[in-house]
């Protein structure tokens, strides 16, 4: 891989895509950040055309339909975006010889086990969003050998804390901001996640990896930690337009980074340490 890489980001106006765009522009790489209007992953021809036009070395595929309750109302759209969209991107990446970074989710698991889930655990989703993501993961695995599937969870730290807290009222119920207070999972600090993805690319990692901040907690514990660090901030109330619960969420999903440990890449720091750093940087 040359020192100056061409990196194409799908879903570049989404939260994760925006974070990658901002992080990667500090490098010497050429970044092509494409919005849904510029690259519609549902349109195989559009995806291939853009990839042939830009000839990226790396494709960061962040586009997705992630609102678990809305997905239950629009399952066909979810499969078009999350499953067939991933397929189209994988086919285009293979055609131009690009490394593909594809993001998966903890929501592919049933969440009833007291044990942590390693990468070899069999997915058993409890809602349509999870099922559509499993289908997308499998398309990527079957189509393009040069894939890096990053399965992660409960993202935070994309924006300054006050901005992220205030905008959380419209977030999905599977997000860290609106999951049930008793749900247990792995908070993941996005700047650390991006750093780990970069390191994994540098080591030419391929396959499926669980990548989250170290440690796990309940949503209530995460809220309490934020409250202790930022007592002046108020927890966002759920938007009145987004109160219908159509999807059943997993109760406990703790991702074990077994494959990451085998590569020799150190795990991400503990979620509380990352949370404190985020708060200190933005308050």
């Amino acid at each position: 891989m040359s020192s100056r890489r061409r990196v194409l980001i799908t879903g570049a106006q989404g939260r994760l895509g925006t974070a990658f765009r901002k992080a990667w522009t500090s490098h010497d790489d050429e970044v092509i950040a494409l919005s849904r209007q510029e690259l519609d992953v549902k349109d195989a021809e559009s995806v291939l055309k853009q990839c042939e036009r830009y000839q990226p070395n790396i494709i960061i595929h962040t586009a997705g339909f992630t609102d678990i309750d809305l997905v239950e109302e629009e399952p066909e759209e979810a499969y078009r975006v999350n499953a067939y969209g991933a397929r189209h991107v994988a086919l285009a990446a293979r055609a131009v010889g690009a490394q593909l970074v594809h993001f998966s989710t903890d929501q592919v698991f049933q969440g009833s086990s007291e044990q942590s889930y390693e990468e070899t655990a069999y997915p058993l989703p409890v809602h349509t969003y999870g099922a559509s993501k499993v289908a997308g993961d499998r398309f990527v695995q079957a189509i393009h050998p040069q894939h890096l599937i990053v399965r992660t969870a409960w993202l935070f730290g994309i924006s300054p804390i006050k901005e992220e807290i205030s905008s959380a009222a419209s977030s999905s119920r599977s997000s860290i901001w609106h999951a049930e207070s008793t749900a247990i999972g792995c908070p993941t600090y996005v700047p650390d996640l991006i750093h780990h993805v970069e390191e994994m690319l540098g080591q030419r990692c391929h396959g499926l990896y669980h990548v989250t901040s170290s440690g796990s907690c309940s949503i209530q514990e995460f809220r309490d930690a934020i409250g202790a660090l930022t007592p002046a901030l108020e927890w966002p109330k759920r938007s009145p337009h987004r109160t219908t619960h159509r999807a059943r969420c997993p109760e406990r999903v703790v991702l074990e980074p077994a494959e990451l440990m085998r590569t020799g890449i150190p795990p991400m720091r503990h979620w509380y340490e990352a949370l404190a750093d985020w708060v200190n940087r933005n308050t």
Side-chain angles (χ1 to χ4, degrees), residues 78-140:
Y79 274 90
R80 281 193 288 266
V81 175
N82 296 334
Y84 286 96
R87 178 181 185 272
H88 300 155
V89 174
L91 287 168
R94 187 181 68 183
V96 300
Q99 167 96 48
L100 173 59
V101 180
H102 167 78
F103 286 90
S104 183
T105 171
D106 62 333
Q107 297 293 302
V108 302
F109 293 116
Q110 186 177 22
S112 58
S113 173
E114 291 300 314
Q115 302 297 318
S116 300
Y117 292 90
E118 294 189 0
E119 289 86 349
T120 54
Y122 190 79
L124 190 62
V126 296
H127 47 51
T128 305
Y129 169 63
S132 69
K133 289 297 291 183
V134 169
D137 296 349
R138 289 177 175 165
F139 274 135
V140 169

Side-chain angles (χ1 to χ4, degrees), residues 4-220:
R4 180 173 171 80
R5 303 168 298 183
R6 184 171 292 166
V7 181
L8 187 149
I9 302 172
T10 72
Q13 290 184 338
R15 296 177 70 243
L16 187 58
T18 297
F20 267 93
R21 174 176 54 79
K22 290 180 178 178
W24 232 280
T25 52
S26 64
H27 296 62
D28 189 42
D29 297 326
E30 179 184 354
V31 177
I32 303 104
L34 301 180
S35 66
R36 181 174 58 185
Q37 290 72 30
E38 295 167 307
L39 187 152
D40 184 354
V41 298
K42 295 182 293 182
D43 184 342
E45 184 177 348
S46 168
V47 175
L48 180 59
K49 181 178 179 180
Q50 292 288 47
C51 288
E52 289 178 336
R53 173 185 178 187
Y54 291 109
Q55 293 292 315
N57 304 106
I58 300 169
I59 298 174
I60 309 291
H61 178 43
T62 70
F65 186 0
T66 62
D67 186 319
I68 63 169
D69 290 319
L70 189 56
V71 161
E72 295 300 321
E73 296 181 19
E74 303 177 21
E76 295 87 357
E77 181 71 2
Y79 274 90
R80 281 193 288 266
V81 175
N82 296 334
Y84 286 96
R87 178 181 185 272
H88 300 155
V89 174
L91 287 168
R94 187 181 68 183
V96 300
Q99 167 96 48
L100 173 59
V101 180
H102 167 78
F103 286 90
S104 183
T105 171
D106 62 333
Q107 297 293 302
V108 302
F109 293 116
Q110 186 177 22
S112 58
S113 173
E114 291 300 314
Q115 302 297 318
S116 300
Y117 292 90
E118 294 189 0
E119 289 86 349
T120 54
Y122 190 79
L124 190 62
V126 296
H127 47 51
T128 305
Y129 169 63
S132 69
K133 289 297 291 183
V134 169
D137 296 349
R138 289 177 175 165
F139 274 135
V140 169
Q141 290 170 319
I143 290 169
H144 190 30
Q146 287 185 281
H147 69 260
L148 173 59
I149 299 178
V150 178
R151 182 173 286 154
T152 190
W154 283 4
L155 303 180
F156 74 94
I158 292 175
S159 307
I161 185 167
K162 290 183 179 179
E163 179 182 331
E164 191 154 327
I165 290 285
S166 63
S167 65
S170 60
S171 62
S172 170
R173 197 162 48 87
S174 63
S175 76
I176 198 166
W177 304 114
H178 281 298
E180 296 295 328
S181 62
T182 56
I184 295 173
C186 299
T188 303
Y189 185 50
V190 170
D192 289 354
L193 174 67
I194 293 173
H195 174 77
H196 260 63
V197 169
E198 292 180 84
E199 189 167 358
M200 293 167 76
L201 287 170
Q203 294 200 21
R204 299 182 182 276
C205 294
H206 295 90
L208 168 64
Y209 293 81
H210 288 175
V211 189
T212 69
S213 296
S214 297
S216 61
C217 65
S218 69
I219 288 295
Q220 189 59 55

Side-chain angles (χ1 to χ4, degrees), residues 156-157 161-162 164-165 176-177 219-236 271-272 275-276 278-279 283:
F156 74 94
I161 185 167
K162 290 183 179 179
E164 191 154 327
I165 290 285
I176 198 166
W177 304 114
I219 288 295
Q220 189 59 55
E221 289 171 324
F222 185 78
R223 292 179 181 179
D224 291 344
I226 287 185
L229 291 166
T230 58
L233 286 178
E234 294 185 6
W235 197 261
W271 66 265
Y272 185 83
L275 176 65
W278 181 44
V279 170
T283 55

